[in-house]
Amino acid sequence: MAMSGGVDSSVAASLLCERGYEVIGVGLRLPEAPKTGATCCGVAGLRDARRVAAEIGIPFYVLDYQEPFWREVMAPFGRAYTEGRTPNPCIRCNARLKFGRLLDFARALDAHHLASGHYARVERREDGTPCLRRGVDSRHDQSYFLYALTAQQLAHIIFPLGELTKGQVREIARRWDLPVANKPSSQDICFVGPEGYRVFLARHYPWALRPGPIVDQEGRELGRHKGIGAYTLGQRRGLGVAAEEPLYVIGIDAEDNTIVVGSREDTFIRRLVIDRVHWVADDMPRGESCRLMVKTRYQRAEAPADVQLNHEGVLVDFVRPHPIAAPGQAAVFYNGDVVVGGGVIDRSIPTLVCNVRQKKKR
């Protein structure tokens, strides 16, 4: 049982004990966030996890993952910002470490399963193959962060909270008098902390914060930015540019260290090009495009789109104009509540460009 010291993993461990599993608690020692310490998996979180393990009567061990976490998660996170991309470190951590390296460790111990406190579900199809489904709590469903898991990994994973709501989890924690029952949930990237990711960039990747020009689509300079690492596509606030109408970031040119801005109309797209695509259980659409629901940010509602393989990778054509999606973020494909797969957004194609192409075809 992966235990961070939070209420979710603590309740998940308790539920597994109640269901008769022989549970071994494991915490991961990760690098601390600057000044304040990590919001999870730091010394304080591991201390809480150890207290919960003692309370429910299970052994608890700590694995030092500081070096692989830097190599697999933190370094790619920083490099992405220097390239003008907006990364999602949680997805990479889940695939490479929590359900990759840690699952291998669990299997080496002859454990049957690895469990975590994620709000998601693993179910078996009629042919016995596992599929990944949303958690029943739509507000806290975390399946978006798990699309990169393989069927082989899912066969050995348990999500005890998948059928519960966050409110029910809190209620269980209080009823069982767990020492973390009222502990607030983490809202930050664990190695960044409440001061934000720019502190991390300033310390490890300062060239991502080199000032440069802010230009319009004709290349006219409108102001100066604070470094491409401080911006993402669709951003409106913090540009520091005076204009008659609100301006939004619609392009980041890492090679020229330039931010491109445009109107709100320019922030809508019809097409995404996706690379590094992963299909959870060989559900890859073949031939004609497949209509699926697509989610391009964790806090953004999914939207209907036609997903199709082509020589560029995977094309996602939205049925209606969609808010611009940042390169480096994940696009996750759903069929109902089943996670079909997903990939990394390579680039967005604006609505206006798509309209021009459609007119040329006619």
Side-chain angles (χ1 to χ4, degrees):
M1 176 71 220
M3 298 180 69
S4 65
V7 66
D8 293 331
S9 60
S10 299
V11 169
S14 303
L15 288 171
L16 290 174
C17 290
E18 186 184 51
R19 294 169 188 172
Y21 286 94
E22 179 185 353
V23 181
I24 301 171
V26 178
L28 304 182
R29 177 69 188 277
L30 305 181
E32 298 281 342
K35 297 182 181 179
T36 56
T39 53
C40 69
C41 301
V43 173
L46 295 175
R47 188 185 305 120
D48 287 339
R50 192 179 297 279
R51 290 172 60 207
V52 171
E55 181 77 20
I56 63 179
I58 65 172
F60 180 76
Y61 304 96
V62 175
L63 301 179
D64 190 343
Y65 271 28
Q66 293 181 87
E67 188 279 328
F69 189 77
W70 168 266
R71 185 180 66 251
E72 297 284 356
V73 180
M74 294 174 70
F77 174 85
R79 287 197 301 268
Y81 277 107
T82 69
E83 298 165 356
R85 300 167 73 83
T86 304
N88 194 313
C90 297
I91 291 172
R92 192 175 180 90
C93 179
N94 286 331
R96 301 292 184 91
L97 297 184
K98 289 182 181 175
F99 301 105
R101 189 184 182 102
L102 182 57
L103 178 57
D104 291 341
F105 175 80
R107 299 292 292 159
L109 295 179
D110 289 331
H112 295 160
H113 301 282
L114 171 63
S116 79
H118 285 85
Y119 289 84
R121 293 176 290 165
V122 177
E123 295 182 1
R124 296 276 179 175
R125 293 189 170 105
E126 292 183 1
D127 62 3
T129 59
C131 69
L132 177 64
R133 306 179 86 98
R134 304 176 196 264
V136 298
D137 187 339
S138 59
R139 287 187 58 199
H140 296 93
D141 165 53
Q142 294 173 304
S143 60
Y144 175 85
F145 299 109
L146 301 168
Y147 82 85
L149 301 185
T150 67
Q152 291 75 22
Q153 290 171 323
L154 290 172
H156 300 286
I157 291 173
I158 298 176
F159 297 126
L161 307 187
E163 300 286 346
L164 301 175
T165 66
K166 185 78 172 187
Q168 290 172 323
V169 168
R170 288 282 185 193
E171 185 178 322
I172 291 171
R174 295 187 184 103
R175 187 168 70 243
W176 289 349
D177 199 26
L178 295 180
V180 295
N182 296 312
K183 185 176 180 178
S185 299
S186 171
Q187 301 295 327
D188 304 302
I189 297 172
C190 68
F191 58 89
V192 167
E195 291 189 348
Y197 73 95
R198 296 180 194 180
V199 174
F200 171 83
L201 293 179
R203 174 174 291 190
H204 299 287
Y205 295 87
W207 53 95
L209 299 178
R210 290 181 295 116
I214 297 177
V215 303
D216 63 17
Q217 295 181 77
E218 282 70 46
R220 293 177 298 223
E221 184 168 335
L222 305 178
R224 304 287 291 178
H225 65 73
K226 300 175 183 178
I228 61 172
Y231 302 84
T232 188
L233 292 193
Q235 180 176 331
R236 174 185 172 186
R237 295 183 178 179
L239 298 183
V241 176
E244 293 182 1
E245 296 183 356
L247 295 175
Y248 300 78
V249 176
I250 62 171
I252 299 177
D253 189 331
E255 186 174 345
D256 292 335
N257 194 34
T258 299
I259 298 292
V260 183
V261 295
S263 67
R264 186 174 184 275
E265 184 181 21
D266 298 319
T267 65
F268 288 92
I269 61 172
R270 270 294 175 85
R271 171 172 289 181
L272 290 174
V273 180
I274 312 296
D275 62 10
R276 286 175 275 174
V277 176
H278 170 76
W279 306 102
V280 176
D282 196 30
D283 288 325
M284 176 177 63
R286 305 177 189 277
E288 296 296 322
S289 62
C290 179
R291 177 65 58 84
L292 298 169
M293 299 298 288
V294 179
K295 194 179 186 74
T296 57
R297 290 196 80 133
Y298 175 55
Q299 297 291 357
R300 180 175 288 165
E302 65 268 23
D306 295 318
V307 179
Q308 183 177 14
L309 295 169
N310 83 337
H311 65 281
E312 294 183 90
V314 168
L315 294 182
V316 174
D317 287 312
F318 290 101
V319 174
R320 293 177 291 276
H322 189 73
I324 197 167
Q329 285 286 300
V332 180
F333 315 138
Y334 291 87
N335 183 5
D337 66 355
V338 175
V339 180
V340 178
V344 179
I345 297 169
D346 180 60
R347 65 184 185 275
S348 300
I349 300 177
T351 300
L352 295 177
V353 173
C354 290
N355 289 342
V356 168
R357 288 178 179 172
Q358 291 297 324
K359 290 177 181 178
K360 286 183 179 179
K361 287 181 181 180
R362 293 169 187 166

